[in-house]
Structure formats: structure tokens, C-alpha cells
Amino acid sequence: MLDKKFSPERQSAFAARFEAQKIAFAPVVFQCVRYAWKHGMLNALSDAGELGLTVPELAATGRWTEYALKVVLETCLSAAVVYLRDGRYVLDKVGYCIVSDQITQINLDFNHDVCYEGLFKLEESLNAEKPIGLTALGNWPTLYEGMSALPEPAKSSWFAFDHHYSDTSFPTILPDVFATAPRKVMDIGANTGKFSCAALAYSPTVELHLLDLPRQLAVADTTLQAAGVRERAHLHAIDLLDLEHAFPSGMDVIWMSQFLTCFSETAIAAILKRAVAALAPNGQILIMDTFWDRQRYDIAAYCLINTSPYFTAMASGNSKIYESTDYIRLAEAAGLRLLTIRDDIGYCHSLLRFGVADV
């Protein structure tokens, strides 16, 4: 069983109580820090360097009132985003991350634009195992049916979040995908078609089969045509939760990237069984995902674990960021055996390679 602890050794009761207050006021801190970033306060302090700026100096620019500056910067001070020296606010190291680190900015936008309002319904969503918070963005059974119709800025923030994590992994995994010289590859949960485009560009002879909802395939179709690789791609519109709908057969490799995390364990089991039935002799299933239990650094595990409530309140109601052992267990139940695991792909991905278990 996995052992994991995020708290420091020998933490005092007083320090633990302070950490508890940070949790209690986390929504307040989030909004104030985001305001300071989005409205340029943190950038102004960054430009000022170690000299910093006073509240009257900041207010003199006409961009903010002294009241707004005091409310927001005092919260930033409590969160170690800025510090005070001789009455002057100076950007601290956390603040520099916020104004310069792309991943931090993408996570802030995702949580604000996509999740924040809907997470108010997290309690209801957990109890019902339905994405009740999704009504903050639109009226769909799950977020996936409404993906192409998401309102802005939620749509841009969602795709920035999804692509920033997945795009860093694609260039390095293509040799893994083609290690067995597959002729037919199936991309289940093709989304916008980015992986399929990369695979078709990598191999001039491979044939790609893309499976997804009709709206997603329409986007993928446009992506494939723009890349000039549409003629070797076959699009299969499918509700992946429709257990009566079999997958196209004869596949040498079946690829799933950041896909199964969108489903409950029951649905994952059903998808894997249909995937096994779609394999050609000696075919393999490759699953790439972000497993919180296989992260080298706590920062990655922290971000992944805290993405799970998004799946509950906004996406599906019954999925999450899984441990790798969950996928391995479900795959073995579907008749597969684990061949290899490769970690440290991109920012936080791992690749599980499965073959059909010996009878």
C-alpha cells in the first residue's frame, strides 16, 4: 500500500493550526491574489524590483484606489506573495512565480474560469455522483458533451490547461507507440486530434482510427485536414459509454491519453474490455496518464490530486485522477497484463504498456 505524507516531520500544533486557517481562507486568498495578478499590481511590484512601492505610489498611477490596494495587497502579504519593508511592498518569490510561471498561470485561469463557481456545488456533486456544478457553464449531462460549446473564457482556459500538460508528452512518446511497427493504431478519446496528427506525421504508412463524440471529431477533422494527413485517418463517432457499440477491430496498437481519467471505474472496466476485443493478434494497449502516485515531486502530486474535484463537480461526477494501481487492476480484470511502465514523460505523465494475458 502506498505511503504518502505532505506535512513536514515534527510539525508543531501551532504550525498545524496556522495551516488549517490557510485552508479556511483559501477561497479568499485565491481571489485576492488572482486580482493582484490580473489587474497588474504584481507586475508593477515586479518592475519596481527590490525597492518596492508604497500604497500611495501605486495609487498615484490612477490604476487602483488606495482601498483596493490595501485590501488585496494585505491578503497577498499574508500569503507570502509580497512582503513589506519600510512600508514598501516588494514582490516575494511566490509572487515572481505568479507573474512569470506559465503552469501557475494556467492553473489559476483553469480554476477560476472553469471550476470556481461550480465547486460551490461540490457537496451535492459528491453525494449524487453527478457534475451538478456544471450548470455554471451550461446545461449538459457532462462537460464532454458541451466541450466545443463552452463559453469564454472557460473554453480557452480549459484547452490551455489540457494541452499544456499533454503537448509536452507527445514528442517523446511516439517511439514508444511505434516500437512494435503497428500498421493500424486506434486513438480512443481523440479530442482535437493532436496526437493523431503527430502519429500520422511520424509514420508515413500508419492508419489512424479516431474514436470520440461527434462534436469532438468535427474539431479533429479540421485539425487533420489542416495538417494534410486526413486521408490516412478514419473517424468513428461513438458514445464510449454505449456498451452495445463495439470498437473497430484489428488494431495493432490502441492508444489512450488522458482519457480514462474522465470515467468511473465501472466505465473504465467496460472500455478496456471492448478495447481488448478490438486488438489484432499480438496487439498492445498503451495508456498514458497523470498518476498522482508516480510523481517524483510533491508539487506535481499536489496539483493532480486537487484536479479530481473538477471531475466531480464539473466534468463527469464520478471520475478522478487515479493511482496507477487502479488502472493496472482494472486492466488485469479485462484480460490484460502489464508489460512496462515509463515515468517522467513531459511534466507528469506515465506510460503503461499492456499485452493480452496468456490464457
Side-chain angles (χ1 to χ4, degrees):
M1 192 68 180
L2 177 70
D3 293 330
K4 186 65 179 174
K5 185 176 182 180
F6 285 89
S7 61
E9 293 296 330
R10 295 182 294 277
Q11 184 181 43
S12 70
F14 187 82
R17 195 179 189 197
F18 188 16
E19 293 302 313
Q21 306 323 302
K22 291 179 183 179
I23 294 170
F25 284 93
V28 177
V29 174
F30 176 90
Q31 289 294 355
C32 285
V33 172
R34 180 187 174 275
Y35 183 96
W37 168 48
K38 287 291 186 179
H39 288 262
M41 291 179 187
L42 300 185
N43 285 99
L45 294 177
S46 177
D47 292 341
E50 293 186 5
L51 179 63
L53 292 165
T54 65
V55 167
E57 286 172 342
L58 285 162
T61 66
R63 299 174 63 186
W64 317 280
T65 65
E66 287 202 14
Y67 171 77
L69 287 161
K70 288 180 179 180
V71 169
V72 172
L73 289 178
E74 285 169 11
T75 291
C76 289
L77 173 66
S78 74
V81 174
V82 301
Y83 64 90
L84 267 174
R85 186 174 60 201
D86 297 327
R88 307 178 73 83
Y89 279 102
V90 184
L91 199 65
D92 213 336
K93 290 180 180 178
V94 174
Y96 276 110
C97 288
I98 292 168
V99 299
S100 62
D101 181 54
Q102 188 179 23
I103 295 178
T104 300
Q105 294 174 354
I106 285 172
N107 288 341
L108 280 164
D109 283 340
F110 174 76
N111 280 307
H112 184 268
D113 299 335
V114 178
C115 306
Y116 203 91
E117 288 187 63
L119 282 173
F120 187 78
K121 299 287 184 67
L122 179 63
E123 183 176 359
E124 295 174 57
S125 300
L126 284 167
N127 291 339
E129 293 194 6
K130 293 181 180 179
I132 295 173
L134 181 57
T135 55
L137 299 177
N139 294 310
W140 309 287
T142 70
L143 181 138
Y144 309 112
E145 281 91 340
M147 188 72 68
S148 61
L150 284 174
E152 292 291 357
K155 185 175 183 179
S156 294
S157 294
W158 189 94
F159 278 105
F161 180 83
D162 181 72
H163 289 171
H164 191 74
Y165 287 95
S166 62
D167 288 1
T168 59
S169 59
F170 286 164
T172 63
I173 50 79
L174 290 172
D176 295 276
V177 175
F178 288 95
T180 57
R183 293 171 298 171
K184 295 176 71 175
V185 174
M186 182 188 294
D187 182 4
I188 302 181
N191 204 345
T192 61
K194 281 201 168 189
F195 166 79
S196 293
C197 281
L200 288 163
Y202 186 87
S203 169
T205 58
V206 72
E207 176 184 308
L208 257 292
H209 291 259
L210 286 70
L211 273 63
D212 214 322
L213 294 167
R215 280 187 174 182
Q216 297 308 109
L217 287 183
V219 177
D221 192 5
T222 301
T223 304
L224 292 161
Q225 291 191 44
V229 293
R230 179 64 178 83
E231 69 279 359
R232 287 185 288 130
H234 307 273
L235 276 57
H236 306 271
I238 182 174
D239 178 356
L240 292 157
L241 295 177
D242 181 0
L243 303 184
E244 303 301 317
H245 199 152
F247 298 160
S249 61
M251 299 296 155
D252 299 307
V253 165
I254 293 178
W255 170 260
M256 289 178 264
S257 174
Q258 288 183 219
F259 167 69
L260 293 177
T261 193
C262 301
F263 299 96
S264 67
E265 287 199 12
T266 301
I268 292 171
I271 290 168
L272 288 173
K273 286 181 181 178
R274 283 185 288 165
V276 171
L279 285 173
N282 301 314
Q284 296 183 348
I285 294 176
L286 275 63
I287 301 174
M288 187 171 73
D289 223 318
T290 52
F291 304 109
W292 72 260
D293 64 316
R294 298 198 67 86
Q295 301 306 311
R296 181 181 300 184
Y297 302 110
D298 281 352
I299 185 173
Y302 180 90
C303 292
L304 292 172
I305 286 171
N306 289 298
T307 302
S308 287
Y310 144 78
F311 286 101
T312 306
M314 309 302 298
S316 67
N318 54 17
S319 63
K320 64 188 294 292
I321 298 293
Y322 289 97
E323 295 177 53
S324 59
T325 52
D326 293 324
Y327 280 17
I328 294 168
R329 169 174 48 83
L330 293 167
E332 289 174 347
L336 295 166
R337 62 187 176 92
L338 180 67
L339 300 176
T340 60
I341 302 178
R342 184 159 83 86
D343 296 320
D344 300 321
I345 302 170
Y347 285 120
C348 51
H349 287 76
S350 296
L351 180 64
L352 310 182
R353 182 184 295 271
F354 294 97
V356 177
D358 297 330
V359 179

